Amino acid sequence: MALVALAATLTACGGDKAASTPATDSAATAPADAAPTAAPTDSAAPVASAAAYDPAKGQALYGRCMACHQQNGAGMPGAFPPLAESEWVNGPASRPIAILLHGLQGEITVKGTKYNSMMMAYGTGVPMSDDEIATVLTYVRSNCGNNAPAVTAAEVATVRAATAGRSTPMTQKDLEALQ
């Protein structure tokens, strides 16, 4: 019951925009110690545009990111980079998609500040579908002071296929090679 109340009152980068419905997606509500399962490589309902995406679902999925990137996307100085007004968030969609799919390690410069921490794949290590990744990235790319195009499930599927053989987290150099 507490989880439902938390999901219903969750506010993220949207400031006072509270989620109107709790997350019902099992990946979004799975316990942190749940064994990861294979994520589908396609989506039944792809996110086609910002107009087609569900901001409440995006906000609920962003709850997985808040421990490190904070409610407002400001990150934690010296530890975790900001998502708010980030060149990595607002740049090519392939970059944040690859970060969610594979994680991130090593030094990365965000808004002129260097960070050197580790992010697990999917932020929590619990796999996400193409639709879920598209939804949460569309949410982040349209909130927290960001103004970037929506991410589609098809874009996620393309990056997933192109990086399928990868077994290590992304680095800044890897991200710079993506377009």
Side-chain angles (χ1 to χ4, degrees):
M1 188 62 155
L3 182 58
V4 172
L6 175 63
T9 59
L10 176 67
T11 59
C13 296
D16 61 0
K17 296 184 226 171
S20 59
T21 57
T24 56
D25 186 358
S26 61
T29 59
D33 61 348
T37 57
T41 56
D42 60 14
S43 172
V47 175
S49 69
Y53 114 100
D54 180 354
K57 183 177 178 187
Q59 184 177 27
L61 287 167
Y62 182 74
R64 297 172 75 165
C65 313
M66 286 190 343
C68 298
H69 296 291
Q70 303 302 295
Q71 182 174 346
N72 62 1
M76 297 178 77
F80 303 109
L83 301 178
E85 301 175 0
S86 164
E87 63 271 29
W88 299 101
V89 171
N90 288 297
S94 60
R95 293 173 176 174
I97 292 169
I99 292 170
L100 277 180
L101 288 172
H102 301 289
L104 181 67
Q105 74 177 7
E107 190 173 275
I108 187 167
T109 302
V110 181
K111 295 172 61 176
T113 301
K114 292 183 182 192
Y115 295 85
N116 193 355
S117 55
M118 174 78 170
M119 179 180 148
M120 293 188 302
Y122 309 104
T124 61
V126 177
M128 298 171 77
S129 70
D130 294 346
D131 182 58
E132 290 170 321
I133 290 172
T135 299
V136 73
L137 288 178
T138 296
Y139 178 80
V140 171
R141 286 166 57 99
S142 61
N143 287 281
C144 305
N146 297 314
N147 187 19
V151 175
T152 66
E155 288 173 303
V156 176
T158 298
V159 174
R160 190 184 295 270
T163 61
R166 186 172 191 92
S167 62
T168 59
M170 302 300 289
T171 65
Q172 180 168 327
K173 184 177 179 181
D174 297 328
L175 295 174
E176 290 169 342
L178 295 174
Q179 294 303 317

